Each structure stands twice: as C-alpha cells, then as structure tokens.
Amino acid sequence: MQKENLVSGMRSTGKLHLGHYMGVITNWVKLQEDYNCFYFVADWHALTTKFDKTETLKQDKIDVVLDWLACGIDPDKSTIYFQSKVLQIAELHLLLSMITPNNWVERDPTLKDMVKILKNKDDDTSSNMPQMSYGLLGYPVLMSADIMAVNGAVVPVGNDQLAHLEITRDIARRFNNIYNTQLFNEPKPKLTEIPLLCGIDGQKMGKSFHNDIKISDTEEDTSKKIMQCITDRSRARKNDPGHPEQCEVAFKYYTVFADKNTVKQVECECREGKRGCMDCKKQLGKIINEKFAPIRDKRKELEADTDRVYDIISEGSKKAASEAEKVLQKVREAVNI
Ligand code: TRP
Ligand code: SF4
C-alpha cells in the first residue's frame, strides 16, 4: 500500500530546544517509518511577524535543519525543504486566498493570540497601526497552501495549531465544491500526546523567555542551566525530606530524561532527605548531556559541512516543488486559469 503524505513545518526560529526535541522532533523521526513525510522550514511564515527582523533569518533557517538532521530526520526517508524554495506554495496561497471568506481567518483563535502577543510587545501605544498585517491575516491560508500543495493527508501538530488546520479543512472542502472537483482531501491532524516540557524556570519553554536549553548547547552550558532549575521550594536544608511532586522542574526533567529506576531512586532518596538538590541537579545535568552527546556530535559534524546540508535542502526543495507542480497543474485546470 502506498504511504500517505504527511506534512509539517516549523517556523525558522533558529536553534531548537529540548522542548522541540521531546514534543515534536522525536515524533517526526518515528513518523518517517509510516508516512511519506514532507518536513519544511516555514520561512515565509516567519515573515508574518518578523518582517523587520531578518538579519538572522538565513542562519536561523539552516540551524533548524541542522538540528533536524542531527536528531535523525533522514533525507533518504523524508523530503526536507525551505518553504520559500517551493514557489507553487505561493501560487496556491494566492488562489486559495480568493475563495477564503475574511471571517474564517478573522475568527481564528490562534491568530488572535498571536496578535495579542504582538501588541503586548509593541511599546508604541500611541500608534493606531494594528499589528495585524495582510500577510499575518493570511497565516492559516498560507499554512493551507503548504499542506495542500503536496496533497498532505496527515498533519502532526500541537494543540495550538488545530484552529488553523480546521480552516485548512474548510478551504479544501470549499475548493472542491466551488470548482466541482475531488482534487483535495481534508487533511487530518495528528496530535502529539507528549506533554510540553517546561523551561528551567517552570514556565513554558521558549527562546524568547530565556529559559530554554538548546539541543546544540554545550555540556557546560547545559549543566549550568540545570543548576538554575527551581526545586522543591519548601526545602531549606539538604537533609530535609523533599517533595518530588513539588519539584517543578528538576524532578520533572528526571521523569522525562532518566530511566525508570533512576527516577524511583531519586524519588525515594529525595523523600527521605538523603539527597541534596545540588547533587541531584548535577546528576541530572550529566544524564541530559549523555543523552544528547551523540546528537551534538552529529550536529558538529554537519556544521563542518554545511555545503552538504544545503545540498540536502536544495534536493528536497526540488522534490517538493515537483510534487507541488503536479498538484498545481490540476488546480490551474480546475480554476480555468
Ligand atoms: N504554524 C506552524 C507552527 O507555528 C508551522 C507551520 C507552517 C505548519 N505551515 C505548516 C505546520 C503546515 C504544519 C503544516 O508551528
Ligand atoms: Fe528535586 Fe532532586 Fe531536590 Fe528532590 S533532591 S527536590 S528531586 S532537585
């Protein structure tokens, strides 16, 4: 049986962190076995909010791919590309924008959240200039074009992307209705069940919150960051009995990164006051560093040969473009353009 097409993208935010690794990338790596995967860097989407901060864009894009490859996204199994190298996506975005009612995108809750965040960042309160640009309003339409350009059947996303994907399904259905065709299927979301990994301060892990540990961090930096993690605050002395369930970050990380026996041992020793938080976090740093050592080695190897990485992306982009061209030929025909 032919494998279904699976599509997913990440905005070009630069070096990825352990939250990306646990929540998204390990999942993507597994999915490669069961689907025909299209993984791309959404650099146009990055412009919807960062159109005026493009100095680091080129580096950010390659950093994302370096992390993917180091973690096991395999160019022999998956198609890896830059969104902006597949011009058919832009053409499809334009055609889809013609059939998308404004209120479909205007009521997209994820988009509303993005605008709220943007507004909070904007200090110039005297300005009436709404932070919603024409391009940002089209965010879900562009995402639809990403998916539909390669006729994606399955889209692995987090909860926050479901609203966008619902619009994609609506757009696909509407296209089929208007142009009396069966060209598009309605892509199904595939939710990741892994809970989000918090940052070292216990809040959501994110680059802009300065609470993340990068996949590509050095062992030293990783250890330092782990030592900053908050632990059970009720504990004053090393021999006080601790409460792992109140150890919001360090113990949580143990449950994510350590094997079951180690977790059990930490839990017991903590409760019995036989384990100091400093030592406990030292050990945690070591465990995390050991886990990421092979990935970090691989990344260094790739960094030393970025020509090869650009070749991979260029090959992938060509492949994605040729898939998309097939779809677009049918689209143009259906639209009579
Ligand atoms: N909006 C997604 C995010 O921020 C990234 C993305 C862009 C995407 N296009 C996509 C995800 C198409 C899945 C399919 O995470
Ligand atoms: Fe957390 Fe470990 Fe300290 Fe217990 S000993 S509170 S698990 S850091």
Side-chain angles (χ1 to χ4, degrees), residues 102-129:
N102 261 0
N103 63 0
W104 285 13
V105 283
E106 276 163 1
R107 66 175 182 233
D108 178 342
T110 305
L111 205 53
K112 282 188 188 161
D113 286 346
M114 287 175 79
V115 175
K116 248 188 244 156
I117 294 168
L118 272 180
K119 278 203 173 135
N120 290 339
K121 275 195 187 147
D122 185 13
D123 297 324
D124 185 13
T125 42
S126 65
S127 161
N128 284 325
M129 173 71 185

Short mmCIF file of all heavy atoms in Angstrom, two decimals, residues 102-129:
data_model
loop_
_atom_site.label_atom_id
_atom_site.label_comp_id
_atom_site.label_asym_id
_atom_site.label_seq_id
_atom_site.Cartn_x
_atom_site.Cartn_y
_atom_site.Cartn_z
N ASN A 102 -13.18 36.35 4.58
CA ASN A 102 -12.41 37.02 5.63
C ASN A 102 -12.73 36.53 7.02
O ASN A 102 -11.85 36.37 7.85
CB ASN A 102 -12.70 38.53 5.59
CG ASN A 102 -11.61 39.27 4.85
OD1 ASN A 102 -10.64 38.67 4.39
ND2 ASN A 102 -11.77 40.57 4.74
N ASN A 103 -14.02 36.32 7.28
CA ASN A 103 -14.36 35.99 8.67
C ASN A 103 -13.85 34.61 9.11
O ASN A 103 -13.70 34.36 10.28
CB ASN A 103 -15.85 36.18 8.96
CG ASN A 103 -16.72 35.25 8.14
OD1 ASN A 103 -16.21 34.46 7.34
ND2 ASN A 103 -18.02 35.35 8.33
N TRP A 104 -13.52 33.76 8.16
CA TRP A 104 -12.92 32.48 8.55
C TRP A 104 -11.58 32.70 9.23
O TRP A 104 -11.25 32.05 10.21
CB TRP A 104 -12.68 31.58 7.32
CG TRP A 104 -13.92 30.95 6.76
CD1 TRP A 104 -15.21 31.27 7.05
CD2 TRP A 104 -13.95 29.88 5.80
NE1 TRP A 104 -16.06 30.48 6.32
CE2 TRP A 104 -15.32 29.63 5.55
CE3 TRP A 104 -12.98 29.15 5.13
CZ2 TRP A 104 -15.73 28.64 4.64
CZ3 TRP A 104 -13.39 28.17 4.23
CH2 TRP A 104 -14.75 27.92 4.00
N VAL A 105 -10.80 33.58 8.65
CA VAL A 105 -9.48 33.82 9.25
C VAL A 105 -9.56 34.77 10.43
O VAL A 105 -8.83 34.63 11.41
CB VAL A 105 -8.44 34.32 8.21
CG1 VAL A 105 -7.93 33.19 7.36
CG2 VAL A 105 -8.99 35.42 7.35
N GLU A 106 -10.47 35.71 10.36
CA GLU A 106 -10.58 36.69 11.44
C GLU A 106 -10.96 36.06 12.77
O GLU A 106 -10.61 36.55 13.82
CB GLU A 106 -11.60 37.78 11.07
CG GLU A 106 -11.00 38.87 10.21
CD GLU A 106 -12.05 39.72 9.52
OE1 GLU A 106 -13.27 39.47 9.72
OE2 GLU A 106 -11.66 40.61 8.76
N ARG A 107 -11.68 34.95 12.71
CA ARG A 107 -12.09 34.37 13.98
C ARG A 107 -11.16 33.24 14.44
O ARG A 107 -11.44 32.57 15.44
CB ARG A 107 -13.55 33.89 13.89
CG ARG A 107 -13.75 32.75 12.93
CD ARG A 107 -15.17 32.22 12.95
NE ARG A 107 -15.24 31.10 12.04
CZ ARG A 107 -16.13 30.97 11.06
NH1 ARG A 107 -17.05 31.88 10.88
NH2 ARG A 107 -16.11 29.92 10.26
N ASP A 108 -10.08 33.05 13.76
CA ASP A 108 -9.12 32.02 14.14
C ASP A 108 -8.49 32.38 15.50
O ASP A 108 -7.75 33.36 15.61
CB ASP A 108 -8.02 31.95 13.05
CG ASP A 108 -6.93 30.93 13.37
OD1 ASP A 108 -6.81 30.51 14.53
OD2 ASP A 108 -6.18 30.57 12.44
N PRO A 109 -8.79 31.61 16.55
CA PRO A 109 -8.32 31.99 17.90
C PRO A 109 -6.79 32.00 18.03
O PRO A 109 -6.24 32.83 18.75
CB PRO A 109 -8.93 30.92 18.82
CG PRO A 109 -9.39 29.82 17.93
CD PRO A 109 -9.60 30.40 16.57
N THR A 110 -6.12 31.11 17.32
CA THR A 110 -4.65 31.08 17.41
C THR A 110 -4.06 32.36 16.84
O THR A 110 -3.11 32.92 17.37
CB THR A 110 -4.09 29.86 16.65
OG1 THR A 110 -4.73 28.69 17.16
CG2 THR A 110 -2.60 29.73 16.85
N LEU A 111 -4.68 32.83 15.77
CA LEU A 111 -4.22 34.06 15.15
C LEU A 111 -4.47 35.24 16.09
O LEU A 111 -3.63 36.12 16.24
CB LEU A 111 -4.99 34.25 13.84
CG LEU A 111 -4.34 35.08 12.76
CD1 LEU A 111 -2.96 34.59 12.44
CD2 LEU A 111 -5.20 35.05 11.49
N LYS A 112 -5.63 35.23 16.74
CA LYS A 112 -5.94 36.31 17.69
C LYS A 112 -4.89 36.34 18.79
O LYS A 112 -4.45 37.41 19.22
CB LYS A 112 -7.33 36.08 18.30
CG LYS A 112 -8.47 36.48 17.40
CD LYS A 112 -9.77 36.40 18.17
CE LYS A 112 -10.97 36.59 17.26
NZ LYS A 112 -12.20 36.08 17.87
N ASP A 113 -4.49 35.16 19.26
CA ASP A 113 -3.45 35.10 20.30
C ASP A 113 -2.15 35.68 19.80
O ASP A 113 -1.45 36.40 20.52
CB ASP A 113 -3.20 33.64 20.73
CG ASP A 113 -4.34 33.11 21.59
OD1 ASP A 113 -5.16 33.94 22.05
OD2 ASP A 113 -4.42 31.88 21.79
N MET A 114 -1.80 35.36 18.56
CA MET A 114 -0.54 35.88 18.01
C MET A 114 -0.57 37.41 17.97
O MET A 114 0.42 38.06 18.27
CB MET A 114 -0.32 35.36 16.59
CG MET A 114 0.07 33.90 16.53
SD MET A 114 0.16 33.30 14.84
CE MET A 114 1.75 33.93 14.34
N VAL A 115 -1.72 37.95 17.62
CA VAL A 115 -1.83 39.40 17.54
C VAL A 115 -1.72 40.01 18.93
O VAL A 115 -1.07 41.04 19.13
CB VAL A 115 -3.17 39.80 16.88
CG1 VAL A 115 -3.35 41.30 16.91
CG2 VAL A 115 -3.22 39.29 15.45
N LYS A 116 -2.34 39.36 19.90
CA LYS A 116 -2.26 39.85 21.29
C LYS A 116 -0.81 39.93 21.74
O LYS A 116 -0.37 40.91 22.32
CB LYS A 116 -3.03 38.90 22.22
CG LYS A 116 -4.29 39.54 22.81
CD LYS A 116 -4.90 38.63 23.86
CE LYS A 116 -6.27 38.18 23.42
NZ LYS A 116 -6.69 36.92 24.03
N ILE A 117 -0.06 38.87 21.48
CA ILE A 117 1.35 38.84 21.89
C ILE A 117 2.12 39.97 21.21
O ILE A 117 2.90 40.67 21.82
CB ILE A 117 1.98 37.46 21.55
CG1 ILE A 117 1.33 36.38 22.41
CG2 ILE A 117 3.48 37.48 21.76
CD1 ILE A 117 1.65 34.96 21.97
N LEU A 118 1.83 40.15 19.92
CA LEU A 118 2.50 41.22 19.18
C LEU A 118 2.18 42.58 19.77
O LEU A 118 3.05 43.43 19.91
CB LEU A 118 2.01 41.21 17.72
CG LEU A 118 2.75 40.34 16.73
CD1 LEU A 118 2.11 40.50 15.37
CD2 LEU A 118 4.21 40.73 16.66
N LYS A 119 0.92 42.77 20.12
CA LYS A 119 0.50 44.07 20.65
C LYS A 119 1.19 44.35 21.97
O LYS A 119 1.59 45.47 22.25
CB LYS A 119 -1.02 44.10 20.83
CG LYS A 119 -1.72 44.40 19.54
CD LYS A 119 -3.11 44.98 19.77
CE LYS A 119 -3.69 45.43 18.46
NZ LYS A 119 -5.08 45.02 18.27
N ASN A 120 1.33 43.32 22.80
CA ASN A 120 2.00 43.50 24.09
C ASN A 120 3.46 43.88 23.93
O ASN A 120 4.01 44.58 24.75
CB ASN A 120 1.90 42.21 24.93
CG ASN A 120 0.48 42.00 25.40
OD1 ASN A 120 -0.30 42.95 25.45
ND2 ASN A 120 0.14 40.77 25.74
N LYS A 121 4.05 43.38 22.86
CA LYS A 121 5.46 43.67 22.63
C LYS A 121 5.66 45.09 22.11
O LYS A 121 6.74 45.63 22.17
CB LYS A 121 6.02 42.68 21.60
CG LYS A 121 6.46 41.39 22.23
CD LYS A 121 7.32 40.61 21.28
CE LYS A 121 7.61 39.23 21.86
NZ LYS A 121 7.72 38.22 20.85
N ASP A 122 4.59 45.65 21.59
CA ASP A 122 4.69 46.96 20.96
C ASP A 122 4.58 48.06 22.01
O ASP A 122 3.56 48.26 22.63
CB ASP A 122 3.56 47.08 19.93
CG ASP A 122 3.68 48.37 19.16
OD1 ASP A 122 4.74 49.00 19.25
OD2 ASP A 122 2.71 48.73 18.48
N ASP A 123 5.67 48.78 22.21
CA ASP A 123 5.67 49.82 23.24
C ASP A 123 4.98 51.08 22.77
O ASP A 123 4.52 51.89 23.55
CB ASP A 123 7.11 50.16 23.64
CG ASP A 123 7.80 48.95 24.25
OD1 ASP A 123 7.12 48.19 24.97
OD2 ASP A 123 8.99 48.77 23.99
N ASP A 124 4.92 51.24 21.50
CA ASP A 124 4.38 52.48 20.95
C ASP A 124 2.86 52.46 20.99
O ASP A 124 2.18 52.23 20.01
CB ASP A 124 4.87 52.64 19.51
CG ASP A 124 4.45 53.96 18.92
OD1 ASP A 124 4.00 54.85 19.67
OD2 ASP A 124 4.53 54.09 17.69
N THR A 125 2.33 52.73 22.17
CA THR A 125 0.88 52.63 22.34
C THR A 125 0.14 53.76 21.64
O THR A 125 -1.06 53.70 21.45
CB THR A 125 0.50 52.62 23.84
OG1 THR A 125 1.31 53.58 24.50
CG2 THR A 125 0.72 51.25 24.44
N SER A 126 0.87 54.81 21.31
CA SER A 126 0.21 55.92 20.64
C SER A 126 -0.14 55.56 19.19
O SER A 126 -0.95 56.21 18.56
CB SER A 126 1.13 57.15 20.65
OG SER A 126 2.28 56.86 19.87
N SER A 127 0.49 54.52 18.71
CA SER A 127 0.25 54.16 17.32
C SER A 127 -1.06 53.41 17.18
O SER A 127 -1.39 52.52 17.96
CB SER A 127 1.40 53.27 16.84
OG SER A 127 1.00 52.57 15.70
N ASN A 128 -1.80 53.80 16.17
CA ASN A 128 -3.06 53.09 15.90
C ASN A 128 -2.86 51.98 14.90
O ASN A 128 -3.78 51.25 14.58
CB ASN A 128 -4.11 54.06 15.35
CG ASN A 128 -4.67 54.92 16.45
OD1 ASN A 128 -4.81 54.46 17.57
ND2 ASN A 128 -4.97 56.15 16.12
N MET A 129 -1.65 51.89 14.41
CA MET A 129 -1.35 50.89 13.40
C MET A 129 -1.59 49.50 13.97
O MET A 129 -0.92 49.07 14.89
CB MET A 129 0.13 51.05 13.01
CG MET A 129 0.64 49.97 12.10
SD MET A 129 -0.03 50.12 10.46
CE MET A 129 0.66 48.65 9.71
#
